[in-house]
Amino acid sequence: PMTEKLDGVKKAEDAGFSAIVLHSLFEEQLKLESEELNFHLNHGTESFAEALSYFPEAEEYRLGPEDYLEHIVKAKAAVKVPVIASLNGTSAGGWTDYAKKIQQAGADALELNIYYIPTGLDITADEVEKTYIDILKSVKSVVKIPVAVKLSPFFSSMGNMAKKLDAAGANGLVLFNRFYQPD
């Protein structure tokens, strides 16, 4: 929460932080907001012919990552220490598209905040690990900035997973992601 606002970013640097890690950009949140807005803008518009022009098209609303990207730009201008963006994607294209945009906004590095809960009974540990590796490789293929992977504490062989991520090109590992726990 400290880095969600520019004054918090500045306070962190003033307190001696050697780098600033921003809050995560969540692809699924952007998609949900877009879908909800589109539903509410279009709900009932076929009732009256003139109702079709009451609202602008959904594309005209600012629902993408623009606010997050703008926050990166402002944070970079406000502090001298490195600014590290954090990304939580849900699709292969989302990971790479948003990673490129984050790099273009000026982030010094990128943290991949992978929140993946394997719920299928037939998903193996190897498949779970491969998902992390594939995400890392796809992001590394489109950006030049350093990329760290934020790890879950629930790998059965943490050392082996760290070794695999290092071999796949991770520039750093973040220990550990605090997942929301279901009751």
Side-chain angles (χ1 to χ4, degrees), residues 43-54:
H43 184 70
T45 57
E46 282 73 38
S47 301
F48 304 99
E50 68 274 7
L52 293 175
S53 63
Y54 281 172

Side-chain angles (χ1 to χ4, degrees), residues 3-95:
T3 63
E4 287 183 20
K5 303 278 185 215
L6 198 55
D7 63 330
V9 171
K10 291 177 187 175
K11 285 179 186 175
E13 183 186 46
D14 292 343
F17 285 35
S18 58
I20 307 296
V21 180
L22 299 179
H23 62 288
S24 288
L25 172 66
F26 286 87
E27 178 185 0
E28 64 268 28
Q29 182 179 1
L30 298 175
K31 284 183 179 178
L32 179 63
E33 289 172 0
S34 178
E35 289 168 3
E36 281 185 27
L37 178 63
N38 194 38
F39 170 79
H40 291 294
L41 289 179
N42 291 315
H43 184 70
T45 57
E46 282 73 38
S47 301
F48 304 99
E50 68 274 7
L52 293 175
S53 63
Y54 281 172
F55 298 106
E57 290 300 312
E59 304 88 52
E60 295 177 34
Y61 283 87
R62 194 169 165 167
L63 289 174
E66 292 85 8
D67 289 336
Y68 189 83
L69 300 173
E70 187 175 308
H71 186 56
I72 293 170
V73 171
K74 288 180 179 177
K76 285 288 297 170
V79 297
K80 292 180 177 69
V81 298
V83 173
I84 303 167
S86 182
L87 173 61
N88 185 301
T90 57
S91 66
W95 283 106

